[in-house]
Amino acid sequence: VWEWAADWYGDYTRAATDPTGPSTGSARVFRGGGWNLTPARARVAYRLWDTPSVRSRDLGFRLVRSSP
């Protein structure tokens, strides 16, 4: 499943670990891939983008519960 990220889409100016992207925009980033893609596209480093209103059966988000 592709996973929505909190980042707005923008080109990276350099390679980075956990880059954040611009503070505003019109397209959000989603990462990863699924069982039906090539191994290169299933990596979390692989990203695509679309408007936040897009819906797809293989695009979602991960819930995280943090302890105090």
Side-chain angles (χ1 to χ4, degrees):
V1 172
W2 291 97
E3 184 177 355
W4 281 114
D7 302 333
W8 292 105
Y9 176 76
D11 291 331
Y12 295 148
T13 57
R14 60 184 171 77
T17 301
D18 196 17
T20 58
S23 58
T24 63
S26 59
R28 290 280 189 180
V29 171
F30 51 96
R31 295 184 171 277
W35 57 271
N36 60 342
L37 298 174
T38 63
R41 290 185 177 186
R43 298 175 39 228
V44 72
Y46 188 78
R47 68 183 184 138
L48 293 176
W49 60 94
D50 212 327
T51 58
S53 62
V54 73
R55 301 291 182 262
S56 175
R57 66 181 184 185
D58 59 354
L59 176 60
F61 58 94
R62 185 179 306 215
L63 296 176
V64 176
R65 179 180 172 187
S66 63
S67 57

